[in-house]
Amino acid sequence: MAGRLLKVSSLATAVFASSGFYLYSRQLDLNDLSVVRFGRAAATTAVISYDYLTAFKHVEHGTDEYWAIKSKVHRRSAERLRDLCCANRGTFIKVGQHLGALDYLLPEEYTSTLKVLHSRAPQSSMEEIQQVIREDLGKELSELFVSFEEKPQGAASLAQVHKAVLHDGRTVAVKVQHPKVQRQSSKDIMVIEVLVRAVHWLFPDFAFMWLVEEAKKNMPLELDFLNEGLNAVKVSNMLADFPFLKVPMIHWDLSTKRILTMEFAEGGQVNDRDYMKKHHINVNEISENLGKIYSEMIFVHGFVHCDPHPGNVLVRKCPQSKKTEIVLLDHGLYQVLQPDFRLDYCRLWQALINSDMSGMERYSRRLGAGDLYPLFACVLTARSWKAVNAGISSVPVTHSEDVEIRTNAAQYLPQISELLNRVPRQMLLLLKTNDLLRGIETTLQTRASSSSFINMSRCCIRAMARHKRSKARSGRRRLQITLAESLSLWKLSAYELLLWLKGSMMGHWLAALLALLH
């Protein structure tokens, strides 16, 4: 028996030694091995699960001690998850960033911890970047560019961007995919799916398969940079009437599935108030214009840029006109809304803005929320049920309401998970987009401004009128619809003017004059 054990151990030693020599000779990074990445993810999942299973054994549910321990467990688990994403990189960082954006769907301990992943993305070496360019474009850097900055302008989970100058003198941004991401992504998603199913088996209330399904669908699109270039051209043409929007032009001759070369656009991040102050950029104007862009995308066209985190939305003074511009970057992830879904979504927001509770219930149910429609309204608006009932356009956001929402997010996590598994897949990216935009508005201190609701209402009216005109069978009916649309838009403009007068110096002067005359 001892001899057999000795033989087995000797054989195992030889196998491990030869494996180590093979890996060393091939200069392979252990992090590239699927077994290492899976093992790391499985170990992290096991530790987090064990923590949740054992932390509350001797604590009475609902007590102050229980909530304090729960917050600590959330924080520990979020930190472990963050470290796992940083270690496995690529798809893991992308999924972690997605979770970090779900401010009103996940406990604050998770979102605040995972938000750092936007600034903790990996960087590829210059040798790796040159290799990708050599493989895809068939030329050396010096043949394509006069200069190519080695330090990237920014690094993300899937790629990094370098500033370069073409031989004709034009400055461009070159987005190059991390060389290993394409190969690892499908395996990583499979790993995440297995582990999410295992956690769901342990904790039935943990229903996050919607996240896996979204990653499966969206990751191949985000890894195809030619698709990103086509999206950029489409949205630029679609929103050509907005002079304040800048979408960098694509250089198709220097672009492939792994490389995207575009016009270089400088600017400060949309949440950088100091940059705006320094360059005399009006914060309210930026917030209002960003709202116009997204209302037009969502309600009118149903073609929505779904990754508006601050690094992808820049603000600047146009070098030529000196007017304020919003520069929209990273067009890899767009959601195409089905017409029926888009129109129901329009009707739901109209009901929410107008405090139409029966309409809110009806269209929430039509969008799949069922009996969870009150929770759906709160998740969609990031407002309390009390504010929804009172009218989100008339009740200002308070700090106490924000605290209440975050507390409820932790308390109602099972119901939120159930809701997210119920609603159409299109809704998930819209919720993520809403949360990212709200995060920007919170930083700019422009949340729930009247102008944002007016812009949304205006787009909803136009979208509904366009739909009715397409169904109208006579010219007379189309004329009636157009007149009704014009009247509704005129009322909104009059209301907007009234609000402006109330807030302006002229409004105060008129009020004082009327009081004096009275």
Side-chain angles (χ1 to χ4, degrees), residues 78 81-82 85 92-118 208 210-211 307 309-310 406 431-440:
L81 194 57
R82 176 201 63 204
C85 292
F92 281 84
I93 285 187
K94 195 73 184 174
V95 171
Q97 288 173 343
H98 191 157
L99 290 172
L102 301 176
D103 281 295
Y104 297 95
L105 305 182
L106 292 178
E108 187 273 338
E109 293 87 350
Y110 275 92
T111 55
S112 62
T113 303
L114 295 175
K115 268 183 172 41
V116 302
L117 290 175
H118 283 295
F208 270 66
W210 59 270
L211 184 65
D307 202 12
H309 71 77
R406 289 189 179 279
L431 290 173
K432 174 196 171 188
T433 304
N434 285 348
D435 274 339
L436 287 168
L437 290 171
R438 265 193 292 266
I440 292 170

Side-chain angles (χ1 to χ4, degrees), residues 289-321:
N289 286 344
L290 191 60
K292 284 180 181 177
I293 290 167
Y294 271 87
S295 292
E296 191 79 13
M297 284 182 183
I298 294 168
F299 300 114
V300 180
H301 298 283
F303 186 67
V304 190
H305 180 287
C306 287
D307 202 12
H309 71 77
N312 288 339
V313 185
L314 305 182
V315 294
R316 68 174 191 174
K317 288 284 188 182
C318 174
Q320 287 78 37
S321 67

Side-chain angles (χ1 to χ4, degrees), residues 113-305:
T113 303
L114 295 175
K115 268 183 172 41
V116 302
L117 290 175
H118 283 295
S119 58
R120 296 273 288 273
Q123 282 189 23
S124 294
S125 68
M126 197 57 200
E127 289 73 24
E128 290 173 317
I129 295 298
Q130 286 176 313
Q131 184 62 28
V132 172
I133 290 173
R134 198 178 294 122
E135 289 172 4
D136 282 30
L137 295 177
K139 292 183 178 180
E140 297 296 330
L141 277 182
S142 57
E143 297 177 75
L144 298 168
F145 308 103
V146 173
S147 64
F148 190 95
E149 291 185 4
E150 291 198 13
K151 185 180 178 183
Q153 293 284 308
S157 54
L158 306 182
Q160 61 194 52
V161 178
H162 292 262
K163 186 177 181 181
V165 178
L166 299 175
H167 285 284
D168 62 9
R170 287 178 294 174
T171 305
V172 293
V174 186
K175 182 176 179 178
V176 185
Q177 197 173 107
H178 298 308
K180 299 164 189 173
V181 168
Q182 192 87 245
R183 188 175 68 250
Q184 293 169 344
S185 65
S186 58
K187 295 173 187 173
D188 285 348
I189 291 171
M190 198 183 302
V191 166
I192 293 168
E193 181 174 9
V194 168
L195 296 176
V196 167
R197 288 187 186 278
V199 173
H200 180 54
W201 180 75
L202 277 174
F203 306 95
D205 286 342
F206 181 90
F208 270 66
M209 280 310 297
W210 59 270
L211 184 65
V212 177
E213 294 303 322
E214 283 302 292
K216 273 185 183 177
K217 185 182 79 174
N218 295 325
M219 194 57 67
L221 295 174
E222 292 195 74
L223 288 171
D224 182 357
F225 289 177
L226 291 178
N227 175 66
E228 178 177 344
L230 291 171
N231 286 341
V233 172
K234 181 174 178 177
V235 82
S236 180
N237 293 332
M238 188 177 85
L239 302 180
D241 290 339
F242 289 162
F244 51 79
L245 174 64
K246 172 72 178 174
V247 178
M249 184 187 74
I250 306 298
H251 292 263
W252 291 107
D253 57 323
L254 295 173
S255 297
T256 68
K257 282 197 168 190
R258 294 194 297 170
I259 300 167
L260 189 66
T261 305
M262 69 205 94
E263 174 187 2
F264 185 82
E266 290 188 276
Q269 290 194 2
V270 71
N271 61 347
D272 189 344
R273 289 179 65 91
D274 291 336
Y275 176 90
M276 293 192 209
K277 189 175 180 181
K278 181 181 175 183
H279 291 84
H280 309 292
I281 293 173
N282 188 317
V283 170
N284 292 316
E285 182 187 352
I286 290 295
S287 182
E288 183 178 345
N289 286 344
L290 191 60
K292 284 180 181 177
I293 290 167
Y294 271 87
S295 292
E296 191 79 13
M297 284 182 183
I298 294 168
F299 300 114
V300 180
H301 298 283
F303 186 67
V304 190
H305 180 287

